[in-house]
Amino acid sequence: MHLSRFVMWRIAAVSIVILVCALSLALWQARFNIAREEHGAVEVARLFDQLAALESAPADAIASHLDVLRQISSSGNLRHLRLRLQDSGGRDLLAQPRTTSSLLQRGYAWLLPPDYDGAPPTPPQWTLQRADGRHYHVTLLLDPASERNESLTDIAGLLGVLLGYSALMLLAIGIALHLALRPMRDILHAIDEYGHSHYDFRLPPMRLVELHSIAQALTRMAHALAHGQKVRQRLDLQMRTMQEDERGRLARELHDEFGQRLTAMRANAAWLVRSAAAYPDLQNVAKALANHCEHVQLATRDLLHRLRSHGAPGDDEPLPLQQLLTELVDSWRERPDQHTSFSLQVTVDDGALSVDVALAVYRLTQEALTNVARHANATTVSIRLKPLAGGRLEWSVRDNGTGVADAEYAFQQGSGITGMRERVWALHGDIDMLVADPDDPGRPGMYLRARLPLALAAAAPL
């Protein structure tokens, strides 16, 4: 069903209900008005009957007829008329009812003054002549206030009906739109899920055509984004594999070319030192050359160690991650002027990790230790690797250094941190940088944590 038809059907249904209620109210009002007119006509008939009786009744019944006339006059049921009865001396025999007008009634009377076409009508008057010589003057006065009050009541009732109709119509439109747009909460939830890269979320079928089309479009978009993310992750993983291959090639060239030549240069420098014993100046230059060769060779070895994290295992051979991490941590401990305490805890078997995941963990640890040395000014660093349920592992690095104020800002600004996030993302993992340790919130420093799969599933061809 289309949204417009859905809303219109519900508005039409509510309108029919409101019209039925309004018609019922109008019928009740008409019945009330008819009953009031009939009662007024009966009262007018009683009035003339009592006036006729007053004219012909015995003298001892005059008082009773006057009481009935006073009752009729004070009842207010004469419908736009007022009775005035005077004796022969001009004294009023009937007390006129006191009427109080509200501010609204007075304002309405001011807006609608009596329209007599120039002159007010002369009220009907006649005289009742009794046989005993008494006579009474009867006057029927017009009462325009009564008709104005009735019209004001009718207008107020009509206005009330219109206001009620408008309020109920707005309420009906609001309810119809609420029911029609209630599935939008699911759509917004789906958009939020897709914004957090949860592309496996699916929307239920929608009753309305427009919302169903939006849901289908979002589902297709989620499929496309999920496929694009898998392709990007696969390409990123391939790119990092190529990087590791390039690192290995550079390491082999450095080892084969620079290593052998530096060894030969150090041997030649040692021979020069021995041969120049009789020439102190020449021997000093030879010693300095030998020292330079030694420093270059040590720097080359360190570069080789960073470029090549392992030897050359076969495709099916696991990477000796625990040994490599131990050697990496030991290399940081042995650096000169080192005052940082390192601890390493690995509770995952090397055979449980694929080569890609193990190499990623090694590179993450390398980058994390480099960042700690450059920026943290920490005295203790703890590296831990442990298995999790569901075939995943947790890698974490804690330090007690200066930390960061905004973890997300650090991810956006630091190229090394950004590379760590991209490496973890390519392996279908997630990484967090916390400004406080969840196990010890009061501890200073930074807590870097990543969750990765133990092994990657075989990727389909692009």
Side-chain angles (χ1 to χ4, degrees), residues 252 308-315 317 319-320:
R252 286 192 299 271
R308 186 175 56 193
S309 59
H310 55 91
D315 294 338
E317 296 181 20
L319 193 72

Side-chain angles (χ1 to χ4, degrees), residues 42-83:
V42 171
E43 289 296 305
V44 172
R46 286 184 60 204
L47 171 66
F48 283 100
D49 182 65
Q50 292 297 323
L51 289 176
L54 179 64
E55 186 178 19
S56 60
D60 55 355
I62 292 177
S64 61
H65 290 297
L66 289 176
D67 291 336
V68 174
L69 289 172
R70 291 190 185 98
Q71 179 185 0
I72 295 173
S73 177
S74 60
S75 66
N77 294 326
L78 290 179
R79 302 288 295 160
H80 323 313
L81 296 174
R82 285 191 296 112
L83 174 64

